[in-house]
Amino acid sequence: MLLYISSNENIGIFDFLSNENGMVIKKLSGTFSLKQFVIYDMRSFNHYSYVAIDLKALKDNKDEIIEAIVAFKSMFSSRVIFYIEDIKKNESLIERLVEQGVYNILSADEVEDLKGEIQKSISNSGMSKRDIQLKLNKLNGKQCYMPEYSFEKKDIKIAITGAAQKVGATTIAMNLCNYLASIGASVCYVEANNHDHIKKLPSSYAGMVVKEDCIIYNGVKYLSLNASNDEEYHFVIYDMGVIERKTINAINNKCDVSILCATAKPYEIEEYDKAVQLLDDDKVNTIFSFIQENEKVRLKEQYRNVFFAEYAPDLFDGDANKNIFSKIFKNYITEKSYEKERGLFLMGKGKLLNCLYNMQLSMRATLVINYLINRSNKELTCFPAIKTIAKDCNISTRTVQRALKDLLDAGVIKKENRYRENGGQSSNLYTLVFDGENKEKESLEIKKEETEKIDEVEVNEELIMDTVDFNKYKSVGLEDSVNSEGKVDERKNHEYEENENLQEDIKNVSEELSIKRHNEKTKVLKITRNRGRGNDKKIRKSLDKCTWQGEYDNLVPP
């Protein structure tokens, strides 16, 4: 059952849940004080699984909203869902809500996207802190995207035990579950001991989904050892309590990774020494808690695969020891690389902008393409409405339309129409096909070809200048190749043949230079006409008196 505190404008956004999910929805529309509603009216929300709040319906300031949420979470276990239309304007409030553990924040512009967010917010795991962080990153135009991970195997069994009682095994186990869930893994916690701790959690932590034989919280499923489960997970964490001889065989033979929790107190280290000798050296990792700095060096030298836990009083804090967890599970977790499909975002900001500038796009097109880059996902697609682009870029919708046309003409983006289920047109899907590096290469290759042509002409000119006066060779006849003995002088004959070849080369070069001069004159004439119809005859006479020095646009008087 869902309670929706709504403004009159947004009263219908959850209606589809009644038809598609069969959910019962109670609506309260108008303007409300959340603080008054929660703290002073003392209404009971226990029979609601979800309480959705439209920010537009509240007249509280930010401090009052946070005060109301803190009070609500201390009294009730219902999941809180916020609908915030303008996240840019309310970024500071969102950050404060996240600090209070409110991650189910709806903000999509398009109907279909909003429906997707709503469905995720009422799912077992709900929206995660990571989802909100990604939203805020896009809002701020960050090009440093949060890493994403892949998990090659499933059903990785992890045994977590303690060398003695009260060494933090359960805290480490739950911290590990929340770390793995935060990076996208499916995780199951199994209480493989007789403590019955998980049954006591819902009374102290609001927002837990309690079912017949399990508890779901922040994307992690918590089970007792005897609970039935048909689902498949990436990781199954067994909290086995204090290590015992009867559990050693199961840990060594049935688990992929084992973590032994311990302290270095004199009366506990002996128990640790006994336990570590019984475990498989290749699988066991030790996490010590409450260790002084001067003790860490000694323990690292004495034992293998040793880590030192940070203080983490919160059972569901996946961040405190994430560096330790990432090292232990490096063989099972792979950070995705988008070097190929997302090469655009791996380019440095300066290099990206240089590529855009080299394309000589209009100012409006440059503004809009930067916006689309910031809004695009890992597939280099995005679908903002034209009004949204205009609002965020502070330009008119007509300017946005012209800019998009410029980008389409330049081949920088592709546009695809999108339609809703009822047949109505939604915002367009834009795919970035930006190939700035190749365009930059093409530009450099063109410049290189032009430079090579210029260099070639300069070499030919040097050939003419460095050649001995050709008139000298005109007077050389065949009779000069016969010596006084009446024999043909092969050296002189060869010299004559070379001179004849040289004459042909000079003729070819002269013709090429003549063509180049003609092209340069034509180029200057065209420029002059474009600037305002000058006197062509005067320009031609002036050009005839100039000499070409081998570089474009470089005609100087003799």
Side-chain angles (χ1 to χ4, degrees):
M1 191 170 180
L2 183 145
L3 172 65
Y4 180 33
I5 301 171
S6 170
S7 64
N8 293 326
E9 294 91 335
N10 300 320
I11 196 167
I13 65 172
F14 288 91
D15 288 352
F16 74 96
L17 292 177
S18 298
N19 299 325
E20 297 182 11
N21 296 57
M23 182 177 289
V24 178
I25 301 173
K26 182 177 179 179
K27 300 178 185 177
L28 298 175
S29 63
T31 305
F32 303 87
S33 168
L34 188 63
K35 183 177 178 180
Q36 176 77 26
F37 195 77
V38 173
I39 298 176
Y40 300 112
D41 290 355
M42 296 299 292
R43 300 191 181 219
S44 176
F45 297 93
N46 286 327
H47 54 289
Y48 293 107
S49 299
Y50 311 96
V51 175
I53 303 166
D54 178 6
L55 185 62
K56 191 180 281 188
L58 303 182
K59 57 184 180 182
D60 308 78
N61 60 37
K62 294 176 182 177
D63 291 334
E64 290 171 338
I65 291 173
I66 297 301
E67 187 179 348
I69 292 299
V70 171
F72 181 92
K73 290 176 73 68
S74 67
M75 295 185 288
F76 309 108
S77 60
S78 307
R79 180 181 294 174
V80 178
I81 301 171
F82 264 90
Y83 176 44
I84 301 176
E85 290 180 282
D86 192 344
I87 61 172
K88 189 172 185 179
K89 182 180 177 181
N90 297 285
E91 182 179 1
S92 60
L93 173 62
I94 292 171
E95 290 174 346
R96 293 180 67 181
L97 288 172
V98 169
E99 288 175 2
Q100 299 303 323
V102 178
Y103 305 143
N104 294 282
I105 298 174
L106 316 175
S107 61
D109 296 327
E110 299 300 321
V111 174
E112 292 302 316
D113 301 329
L114 183 59
K115 285 177 67 175
E117 287 187 352
I118 291 172
Q119 289 284 16
K120 188 168 185 178
S121 70
I122 65 169
S123 65
N124 286 338
S125 59
M127 298 175 75
S128 66
K129 184 178 180 180
R130 178 187 180 83
D131 295 327
I132 305 304
Q133 288 174 330
L134 286 171
K135 277 189 180 183
L136 295 177
N137 277 356
K138 286 187 177 182
L139 174 69
N140 295 320
K142 292 182 180 179
Q143 294 181 16
C144 48
Y145 287 80
M146 293 181 68
E148 294 190 20
Y149 301 88
S150 61
F151 311 96
E152 302 301 328
K153 298 180 181 179
K154 286 194 173 183
D155 199 31
I156 304 298
K157 294 180 174 63
I158 303 160
I160 298 183
T161 62
Q165 291 185 348
K166 307 298 181 183
V167 293
T170 297
T171 300
I172 289 294
M174 291 191 177
N175 282 179
L176 173 59
C177 289
N178 283 268
Y179 163 73
L180 293 171
S182 72
I183 63 173
S186 56
V187 188
C188 179
Y189 169 94
V190 178
E191 189 175 33
N193 55 62
N194 57 3
H195 296 160
D196 286 337
H197 288 331
I198 61 173
K199 290 182 179 179
K200 302 170 185 176
L201 295 177
S203 61
S204 300
Y205 293 92
M208 286 190 165
V209 178
V210 182
K211 297 192 175 181
E212 292 181 3
D213 56 356
C214 72
I215 297 170
I216 299 171
Y217 188 57
N218 291 345
V220 179
K221 193 170 187 178
Y222 296 87
L223 298 171
S224 64
L225 184 60
N226 298 320
S228 60
N229 178 60
D230 298 327
E231 296 181 45
E232 190 176 29
Y233 298 91
H234 290 117
F235 298 93
V236 180
I237 288 90
Y238 293 92
D239 180 1
M240 307 189 78
V242 179
I243 193 167
E244 298 177 0
R245 286 190 177 273
K246 64 181 181 181
T247 61
I248 294 293
N249 186 56
I251 294 172
N252 287 337
N253 297 328
K254 295 185 178 181
C255 293
D256 300 283
V257 180
S258 62
I259 295 176
L260 181 61
C261 301
T263 69
K265 295 175 179 145
Y267 50 85
E268 290 177 350
I269 198 70
E270 291 181 5
E271 298 296 325
Y272 169 73
D273 287 333
K274 293 176 184 177
V276 78
Q277 290 175 8
L278 298 172
L279 294 171
D280 189 339
D281 285 346
D282 295 331
K283 294 181 181 179
V284 67
N285 299 271
T286 301
I287 297 182
F288 282 105
S289 299
F290 316 115
I291 305 299
Q292 296 180 357
E293 291 298 324
N294 57 353
E295 283 288 300
K296 291 181 180 180
V297 176
R298 180 183 65 80
L299 291 171
K300 276 190 173 182
E301 292 176 351
Q302 189 171 352
Y303 303 105
R304 292 180 57 194
N305 301 328
V306 169
F307 303 92
F308 303 100
E310 298 291 337
Y311 179 59
D314 184 357
L315 286 172
F316 308 104
D317 183 358
D319 293 334
N321 291 296
K322 64 181 181 180
N323 292 333
I324 293 175
F325 300 146
S326 63
K327 290 176 182 177
I328 293 175
F329 297 97
K330 62 183 179 181
N331 294 330
Y332 301 97
I333 301 170
T334 304
E335 184 174 343
K336 289 183 180 179
S337 173
Y338 295 112
E339 188 170 352
K340 293 182 179 179
E341 66 269 29
R342 199 172 177 76
L344 179 64
F345 291 99
L346 296 178
M347 295 167 63
K349 183 178 178 182
K351 189 173 182 182
L352 170 61
L353 291 175
N354 284 337
C355 291
L356 286 172
Y357 297 151
N358 286 341
M359 293 175 67
Q360 297 180 347
L361 296 171
S362 63
M363 185 183 297
R364 65 194 178 207
T366 301
L367 176 62
V368 171
I369 188 61
N370 275 284
Y371 178 81
L372 295 179
I373 289 170
N374 289 330
R375 290 292 302 270
S376 63
N377 56 24
K378 64 185 180 183
E379 285 81 24
L380 301 180
T381 62
C382 57
F383 37 86
I386 289 178
K387 288 183 180 179
T388 303
I389 300 174
K391 179 182 175 183
D392 291 346
C393 294
N394 199 26
I395 56 178
S396 68
T397 55
R398 185 61 184 144
T399 301
V400 173
Q401 290 170 343
R402 292 193 186 100
L404 291 171
K405 185 179 183 304
D406 293 344
L407 296 173
L408 286 166
D409 292 343
V412 175
I413 62 171
K414 289 181 180 178
K415 184 177 76 171
E416 182 181 338
N417 295 330
R418 295 195 311 145
Y419 297 93
R420 301 187 179 95
E421 292 181 358
N422 60 7
Q425 187 168 359
S426 181
S427 61
N428 295 319
L429 176 70
Y430 301 103
T431 303
L432 301 178
V433 289
F434 179 77
D435 197 11
E437 285 187 325
N438 288 340
K439 291 180 182 296
E440 193 174 14
K441 278 184 184 177
E442 289 175 7
S443 177
L444 291 172
E445 285 174 2
I446 291 171
K447 290 180 181 179
K448 184 179 178 182
E449 288 177 4
E450 291 178 350
T451 304
E452 287 175 350
K453 288 179 181 179
I454 293 170
D455 291 343
E456 183 182 348
V457 173
E458 288 179 347
V459 169
N460 288 334
E461 283 189 321
E462 290 174 3
L463 178 64
I464 296 172
M465 299 299 295
D466 295 340
T467 304
V468 181
D469 187 1
F470 185 67
N471 292 326
K472 174 181 177 182
Y473 294 96
K474 277 187 176 181
S475 60
V476 178
L478 258 176
E479 62 275 16
D480 293 332
S481 64
V482 181
N483 60 19
S484 56
E485 299 177 358
K487 295 180 180 180
V488 176
D489 189 333
E490 295 296 338
R491 183 181 59 79
K492 286 189 177 182
N493 190 39
H494 178 68
E495 182 181 328
Y496 179 80
E497 290 176 355
E498 280 188 344
N499 292 337
E500 194 170 39
N501 293 336
L502 180 62
Q503 182 181 11
E504 185 66 27
D505 290 340
I506 292 174
K507 181 180 178 182
N508 293 337
V509 171
S510 298
E511 290 176 357
E512 187 173 348
L513 286 172
S514 177
I515 292 170
K516 291 287 183 183
R517 291 192 185 98
H518 175 73
N519 290 341
E520 288 302 313
K521 292 177 183 179
T522 304
K523 182 178 177 181
V524 175
L525 286 171
K526 285 181 180 178
I527 293 170
T528 307
R529 290 192 186 102
N530 291 336
R531 290 177 179 173
R533 299 293 180 183
N535 191 327
D536 290 354
K537 289 184 179 180
K538 290 182 179 180
I539 293 172
R540 287 183 186 281
K541 289 181 180 179
S542 177
L543 288 173
D544 288 337
K545 294 179 181 178
C546 295
T547 58
W548 186 63
Q549 299 299 311
E551 294 182 0
Y552 295 149
D553 298 332
N554 193 7
L555 297 170
V556 298

